[in-house]
Amino acid sequence: MPLDPSFAGRTYPPTTTYEVSRAKIAEFADAIGDDNPLYRDPEAAKSAGYPDVIAPPTFLTIINLTSINAIVADPELGLDYSRMVHGDQRFTHHRPVHAGDVLRLTTHIDSVFARAGNDFLNVRADVETTAGEPVCTTHAQLVVRGE
């Protein structure tokens, strides 16, 4: 069954926060094979002008996935997860993520449309600190294969 285009414009407010730690940043950097000292060495990060170690640019995938899953699990949307693939992902960073940040996400469905028998959802997440400072805007496209 096709996805309902009236879901475009729907917003999913933050339900939790995520505290960024040095350990999580190091784990992520290890997982992607990046040995940049700014991701592990607080003194190197401070020398570069950051308050603490910073995260690799794609680190926010960790918490962005949670927001995408909230949309996918919305029973009103009726998305068949077994038919879904991740079509695209982009990040617009307003500043680097660093250890000690406490982040929250507000997720939006920007558009829902069909093309060539497949449904497409364009999803945006606004990532900010709990103090309201913008950190990043993520964009993802989800594709639900037709039958």
Side-chain angles (χ1 to χ4, degrees):
M1 172 164 28
L3 297 178
D4 184 350
S6 73
F7 269 73
R10 189 169 285 205
T11 296
Y12 297 79
T15 57
T16 62
T17 58
Y18 181 86
E19 186 169 349
V20 180
S21 70
R22 288 178 183 166
K24 288 295 181 188
I25 291 172
E27 285 174 12
F28 190 86
D30 288 344
I32 63 172
D34 195 328
D35 61 358
N36 187 330
L38 297 177
Y39 304 153
R40 292 178 179 78
D41 182 351
E43 293 310 313
K46 287 177 185 170
S47 293
Y50 301 110
D52 206 325
V53 296
I54 61 170
T58 56
F59 177 82
L60 290 174
T61 300
I62 294 169
I63 58 174
N64 191 54
L65 209 50
T66 302
S67 68
I68 289 172
N69 288 341
I71 291 170
V72 169
D74 185 335
E76 292 180 34
L77 181 60
L79 187 148
D80 181 354
Y81 186 78
S82 70
R83 304 185 74 74
M84 187 189 86
V85 295
H86 194 194
D88 182 39
Q89 183 72 55
R90 293 181 285 122
F91 299 88
T92 302
H93 293 276
H94 309 298
R95 69 145 171 93
V97 173
H98 59 78
D101 278 336
V102 180
L103 304 174
R104 62 182 177 208
L105 282 84
T106 302
T107 309
H108 312 270
I109 298 178
D110 285 340
S111 63
V112 179
F113 61 94
R115 185 183 300 148
N118 300 309
D119 289 321
F120 293 79
L121 275 83
N122 288 317
V123 178
R124 171 177 43 94
D126 297 318
V127 183
E128 63 183 14
T129 66
T130 53
E133 178 187 7
V135 175
C136 185
T137 304
T138 71
H139 297 271
Q141 185 173 75
L142 310 177
V143 182
V144 183
R145 294 173 291 130
E147 306 219 8

